[in-house]
Amino acid sequence: MAIASGAIVLLILLFLIWETLPILQIIGLARFFNDPAWHPTSEEFNLVPMLWGTLFVTVGSILIATPIGILSAVFCHYYAPKAIANLYRRAIELLAGIPSVVYGFWGLVVLVPIIGRIHPPGPSLLTGILILTLMILPTITLVADASLASVPSEYLRGCASCGLGRWATVRGVVFPAAKSGLITGVILATGRAIGETMAVLMVCGNVVQTPKDIFEPVRTLTANIALEMAYAVGNHRAALFVTGLVLMVMIIALVIAAELLNKGHIYEQ
Amino acid sequence: MTKQITTNTGNPPSIQTDQLSLFYARKSAFKDVTLSIKSGSITALIGPSGCGKTSFLTCLNRLTELTPNCQISGRILLGDQNLQTLNVISLRRRVGMLFQKPNPFPLSIIRNIEFPLREHGVRNREEIDHIIEVALQDVGLWDEVKDRLKTPALSLSGGQQQRLCLARAIALKPDVLLMDEPCSALDPLSSEVVEDLITKLRLKYTVIVVTHNLAQAKRIADHVAVFWFQDGAGKLIESGSVAQIFESPQHTLTAAYVTGRTG
Amino acid sequence: MKYKTPYPELLSTAIIWAIAASVTGALLWLLSDVFWHGMSQVNWEFLTQSPSNAGREGGIAPIIVSTALIVGVCLVVSIPLGVGTAVLIAEFAANKSILGRLVRLSLDVLAGVPSIVFGLFGNAFFCKTLGMGFSILSGGLTLACMVLPILIRSTQEGFRAVPDDYRRSAAALGVSRIATLWELLLPAAMPGVAVGLLLGLGRAIAETAALIFTSGYVDRMPESLWDSGRSLSVHIYDLAMNVSGGEANAYASALVLVSFLVLINSAISWLAQRFRQSKILVV
Ligand SMILES: Nc1ncnc2c1ncn2[C@@H]1O[C@H](COP(=O)(O)OP(=O)(O)OP(=O)(O)O)[C@@H](O)[C@H]1O
Ligand SMILES: [Mg+2]
């Protein structure tokens, strides 16, 4: 049974490969990057726009959520009075507990119209980034919170005895001391952002195109699967499994990166 | 090589505590300490473990504020100013502290000194380098580390770390230095360097040193204050000049302690 | 000399408080929006009637039942498997061994696998290869794979709260390993298992992407585990994206879902707090 989890990972990979093997043998991996477009029913399988979609949404939300998340943890530890810090932690935990379909729904009915008023159409890269920011924020905050808690108090006393203010202490000593934990949180959040499906699916517009600005609709790899899986057959279905395989490779790369960085297990806080 | 000494304004303040008491939650650490410390003097705090010496020191730079539920009552005068009303940041810059356990920052050796300096507005590269070199020379660390200033401070030995912390404190040119058993992690040779330095600080700094080493107290201090644990709290049982405490102690406990019969 | 707080200190304090305020604001905005719009719809009829007119009207009774069944299957399968794995890892596999390391690494990967990929896997394995089709069983088993790492991890946390002394003194008394496990470790690890169970429950109830093409869309009352059943989250998705005019009932379903999750969430914090306290007492 100890192998159960390893077995499941292997099983997942096995099935992804099993389902994709026929198409990979016939048309090869290269066509998923070179084909003129994504028209799976007429045998055109270009995944590049979706790759860009996933990349932009992920990078955008990480760029916003990282400072907000880390500073939120800093707020809990060094700025807020104890009672407020505890309330704020509860709020972050709540944020973490809200299901992605609710984020997506709220984004769809509240955020999309607002963005649409600023710059039509509304469902866009920007909306996706904003919703995703909110969703991965708790991951970054909670991991950062834990790693700030393990900064030895001697450092803080040392800083205080040198007459350093809060911000100087945080920037100069706390961040370097907690660096690996903070990075781990960001890597975890990146994984979540890459894999997020429902919220992105509901607010991004899902047009297959490489976006030229943040107000254009995009489709991510995950949305691609969710949208077309219901009716896909044959090569089309296999192409969607290739999409899943690409996602899986990304996640494994991230986990290995984190393992190398941390020499420990990363999904543990 | 002539040793330079990091200098400050050269006009250190006196310190006067008045009925000072400190509580951790409801537990009393020390009670009713009234002590006056002359400007530019070196005062040694001695007494058995747990009688509140460290706690007393932390009142003088208001580090007590970092401990939740820690409360103090009474009054502290720094020069002629009430210490509680001063801005805490500028107070702590004026009152440097060295801890019992060395606590360098997890940064490089040079950044350990440079970073607090920069935060206090010293931006000129040459000036910073000069201050760092002088401070490290003062604590006898320069020759040992001058070739590896960029290596992590945590890779230094315990004694070296402690001297780095001392250099960090004096680089900021405080008026008052609080030292909590500064030599307890040092070998005899580096202890001597630090002792030497402390005596050189006389007149320019007001220095308060906690020490368990009575010989050391005798060598370096002008005044001695004896703390004792009595009636569930630390008390100041006696204070006076070195000669007074070591040659003609008034209190029987002091007499026993300095002659090594108890404590 | 009057002291002036440096500019970066003031600025950072202002920014940090502003960030905390806006994050709280966003949360309150979302919650209050769902609450106000949902509140006007949710009532007894809504919870006990079947949906009609593609879900625009009627209630969500069959959907709640399907959700409960899917989550039930998930937990019944994953709890013994998860706790068992954790026991084996903690007690019998040397942590430093290559095998232990591989198991941990694969747990990390498993925890990071996007839910949509679980969906693909479930579709290929449970629905097709094992021939279960679009069914509650397929969905529940897919979710079980998903929550397994969560369960394993928090059970392990629970074990870690048991000091090695217990084990050593038990061994010194000549108590067998199995008995030690049963009498000493499992009870001590219970809070960890409970937290893991709640976390897994939360994750399972919230899940959508893995269910769309494993347990399917059918919104009738399921008659057996082999029937397709629509979960609450899939229902919200469908109403929001595919049914024009489904917004009101989507709000109501979202309120029901969020309420469940807030409850679970509160239970977790409560337990975790007790867990932490007992940890301090033990160590
Ligand atoms: N943060 C704290 N919380 C609660 N009690 C504390 C704290 N720090 C110190 N104390 C208690 O206050 C009393 C005085 O401690 P303090 O550290 O001032 O003693 P000390 O004289 O410096 O001893 P030593 O010579 O061993 O360093 C002790 O009983 C100690 O247990
Ligand atoms: Mg002490």
Side-chain angles (χ1 to χ4, degrees):
Chain A
M1 253 200 284
I3 333 282
S5 53
I8 293 176
V9 172
L10 282 183
L11 213 59
I12 291 176
L13 281 174
L14 205 77
F15 267 86
L16 289 179
I17 294 171
W18 178 258
E19 294 275 342
T20 53
L21 212 52
I23 192 173
L24 287 180
Q25 270 172 349
I26 298 166
I27 71 163
L29 194 61
R31 277 195 48 197
F32 286 92
F33 303 96
N34 296 332
D35 268 3
W38 172 260
H39 289 302
T41 42
S42 39
E43 302 282 308
E44 287 184 343
F45 300 112
N46 189 356
L47 284 177
V48 173
M50 272 82 90
L51 268 171
W52 283 120
T54 293
L55 188 77
F56 287 144
V57 173
T58 304
V59 170
S61 57
I62 286 288
L63 283 182
I64 306 178
T66 301
I68 295 184
I70 291 178
L71 290 180
S72 284
V74 166
F75 173 76
C76 286
H77 275 275
Y78 306 111
Y79 284 79
K82 210 168 169 177
I84 293 186
N86 282 337
L87 272 180
Y88 190 67
R89 277 198 191 97
R90 279 290 290 138
I92 295 285
E93 281 167 16
L94 258 177
L95 215 48
I98 294 175
S100 53
V101 71
V102 174
Y103 277 111
F105 175 59
W106 181 72
L108 186 67
V109 294
V110 176
L111 228 46
V112 165
I114 294 177
I115 303 282
R117 236 169 286 138
I118 298 170
H119 192 303
S124 58
L125 178 57
L126 178 62
T127 336
I129 288 177
L130 291 179
I131 284 291
L132 213 46
T133 298
L134 215 50
M135 295 182 64
I136 62 177
L137 182 72
T139 311
I140 298 183
T141 306
L142 294 174
V143 178
D145 190 46
S147 55
L148 293 190
S150 62
V151 171
S153 64
E154 285 105 69
Y155 295 165
L156 306 179
R157 296 164 143 268
C159 286
S161 76
C162 289
L164 299 178
R166 283 174 217 255
W167 181 240
T169 305
V170 167
R171 193 174 52 87
V173 173
V174 171
F175 282 166
K179 195 169 62 195
S180 77
L182 300 181
I183 295 176
T184 303
V186 173
I187 291 182
L188 271 175
T190 309
R192 261 206 90 181
I194 291 176
E196 178 48 43
T197 311
M198 298 320 291
V200 174
L201 171 67
M202 292 167 87
V203 302
C204 280
N206 302 320
V207 179
V208 184
Q209 60 174 6
T210 308
K212 276 166 225 67
D213 64 53
I214 52 171
F215 293 104
E216 289 198 355
V218 290
R219 181 187 288 194
T220 62
L221 292 170
T222 48
N224 193 39
I225 303 175
L227 281 169
E228 303 190 356
M229 190 61 194
Y231 58 88
V233 286
N235 272 353
H236 184 189
R237 179 179 151 94
L240 295 180
F241 275 84
V242 173
T243 318
L245 200 59
V246 172
L247 280 171
M248 198 63 189
V249 168
M250 287 174 156
I251 294 299
I252 293 179
L254 268 182
V255 168
I256 290 176
E259 168 89 7
L260 291 181
L261 193 85
N262 239 18
K263 300 243 182 324
H265 11 147
I266 63 160
Y267 284 88
E268 202 163 57
Q269 290 169 21
Chain B
M1 187 188 82
T2 53
K3 245 189 178 171
Q4 300 159 288
I5 282 288
T6 308
T7 48
N8 54 9
T9 55
N11 187 17
S14 61
I15 298 172
Q16 166 80 47
T17 68
D18 207 3
Q19 298 282 311
L20 188 66
S21 308
L22 180 145
F23 299 86
Y24 292 112
R26 240 163 261 106
K27 184 172 160 294
S28 171
F30 63 80
K31 255 203 171 114
D32 296 337
V33 173
T34 301
L35 178 65
S36 85
I37 290 161
K38 281 210 190 71
S39 151
S41 68
I42 300 176
T43 304
L45 300 188
I46 61 173
S49 193
C51 61
K53 305 180 295 295
T54 301
S55 306
F56 179 76
L57 280 194
T58 55
C59 293
L60 303 182
N61 63 352
R62 284 168 57 189
L63 222 55
T64 45
E65 288 168 17
L66 294 191
T67 312
N69 300 324
C70 177
Q71 273 158 2
I72 71 171
S73 68
R75 199 166 61 129
I76 309 171
L77 288 179
L78 185 72
D80 51 8
Q81 289 165 306
N82 185 342
L83 195 132
Q84 305 296 334
T85 61
L86 294 173
N87 175 281
V88 69
I89 302 252
S90 55
L91 166 73
R92 286 180 188 155
R93 180 171 180 187
R94 280 180 71 192
V95 182
M97 180 161 187
L98 189 63
F99 296 83
Q100 197 163 350
K101 199 170 136 231
N103 62 345
F105 301 135
L107 310 169
S108 67
I109 294 172
I110 189 168
R111 281 284 293 160
N112 256 277
I113 307 177
E114 181 187 344
F115 157 61
L117 273 176
R118 276 189 186 275
E119 288 303 323
H120 286 295
V122 187
R123 292 285 150 79
N124 182 320
R125 185 74 247 171
E126 277 162 35
E127 194 184 347
I128 290 177
D129 287 341
H130 178 71
I131 295 176
I132 291 177
E133 183 176 339
V134 173
L136 285 174
Q137 257 166 7
D138 285 344
V139 298
L141 200 58
W142 177 250
D143 291 326
E144 287 162 61
V145 301
K146 65 169 184 268
D147 300 322
R148 48 165 176 152
L149 289 173
K150 297 255 159 62
T151 54
L154 293 173
S155 69
L156 293 171
S157 76
Q160 290 173 324
Q161 289 187 8
Q162 186 67 313
R163 283 182 284 153
L164 177 64
C165 293
L166 182 54
R168 180 176 76 191
I170 60 177
L172 288 173
K173 301 184 176 145
D175 296 329
V176 179
L177 259 181
L178 311 174
M179 305 193 191
D180 194 358
E181 300 178 41
C183 298
S184 62
L186 301 189
D187 69 287
L189 284 182
S190 9
S191 295
E192 212 182 299
V193 174
V194 173
E195 270 184 33
D196 260 9
L197 176 65
I198 295 174
T199 47
K200 284 198 184 114
L201 297 175
R202 181 175 280 129
L203 299 180
K204 299 205 189 75
Y205 292 73
T206 303
V207 181
I208 305 178
V209 188
V210 173
T211 178
H212 285 300
N213 182 339
L214 297 179
Q216 183 182 57
K218 224 181 214 166
R219 277 198 298 276
I220 61 173
D222 306 314
H223 298 273
V224 178
V226 185
F227 278 65
W228 208 268
F229 190 80
Q230 275 182 332
D231 315 323
K235 292 267 169 62
L236 174 67
I237 55 170
E238 189 171 359
S239 70
S241 69
V242 174
Q244 208 178 320
I245 298 290
F246 283 101
E247 265 118 56
S248 52
Q250 304 296 303
H251 202 291
T252 49
L253 284 170
T254 313
Y257 188 68
V258 299
T259 53
R261 269 181 280 122
T262 179
Chain C
M1 183 186 77
K2 185 99 173 56
Y3 177 81
K4 271 178 52 203
T5 309
Y7 182 61
E9 292 289 334
L10 288 177
L11 189 68
S12 63
T13 308
I15 289 179
I16 286 175
W17 278 90
I19 282 178
S22 18
V23 172
T24 314
L27 173 71
L28 290 181
W29 185 8
L30 194 158
L31 284 182
S32 60
D33 188 61
V34 170
F35 187 79
W36 287 123
H37 287 92
M39 219 34 214
S40 53
Q41 302 290 322
V42 175
N43 49 33
W44 187 242
E45 278 79 52
F46 182 75
L47 294 177
T48 52
Q49 280 176 1
S50 289
S52 56
N53 192 5
R56 290 183 194 89
E57 287 148 34
I60 53 170
I63 285 145
I64 291 181
V65 172
S66 299
T67 309
L69 288 176
I70 293 171
V71 172
V73 169
C74 159
L75 291 183
V76 163
V77 173
S78 59
I79 287 173
L81 212 59
V83 174
T85 308
V87 167
L88 285 174
I89 294 177
E91 294 300 309
F92 297 100
N95 243 2
K96 295 265 160 23
S97 73
I98 301 215
L99 183 76
R101 213 178 147 165
L102 267 181
V103 168
R104 249 187 291 117
L105 206 62
S106 54
L107 271 177
D108 287 342
V109 174
L110 197 58
V113 174
S115 50
I116 189 84
V117 174
F118 275 107
L120 282 178
F121 164 71
N123 181 279
F125 184 53
F126 297 116
C127 302
K128 271 188 63 189
T129 306
L130 298 186
M132 297 175 185
F134 278 6
S135 67
I136 287 173
L137 205 54
S138 301
L141 291 175
T142 307
L143 289 190
C145 299
M146 250 176 88
V147 303
L148 201 58
I150 300 176
L151 270 170
I152 297 178
R153 202 141 261 146
S154 36
T155 311
Q156 277 180 323
E157 280 301 310
F159 283 139
R160 212 162 293 157
V162 182
D164 272 342
D165 281 356
Y166 277 26
R167 288 170 225 204
R168 247 174 266 132
S169 50
L173 291 171
V175 181
S176 79
R177 233 173 167 184
I178 299 291
T180 315
L181 194 73
W182 202 245
E183 301 285 331
L184 275 174
L185 298 182
L186 275 184
M190 267 331 276
V193 178
V195 169
L197 193 145
L198 286 170
L199 283 172
L201 185 66
R203 178 105 196 250
I205 291 187
E207 188 46 49
T208 317
L211 292 177
I212 302 181
F213 32 85
T214 53
S215 67
Y217 272 93
V218 174
D219 61 1
R220 278 190 310 273
M221 187 62 87
E223 270 152 27
S224 79
L225 293 183
W226 271 265
D227 275 355
S228 166
R230 177 191 284 204
S231 82
L232 204 46
S233 51
V234 173
H235 189 56
I236 298 170
Y237 165 66
D238 195 55
L239 285 180
M241 294 291 281
N242 306 333
V243 179
S244 60
E247 212 171 84
N249 271 0
Y251 262 122
S253 311
L255 177 60
V256 173
L257 185 59
V258 169
S259 312
F260 271 129
L261 283 162
V262 168
L263 271 182
I264 293 172
N265 205 286
S266 310
I268 293 174
S269 336
W270 180 76
L271 255 179
Q273 208 165 329
R274 285 201 35 186
F275 193 12
R276 229 171 282 141
Q277 280 164 4
S278 70
K279 229 177 191 171
I280 287 165
L281 284 182
V282 169
V283 176

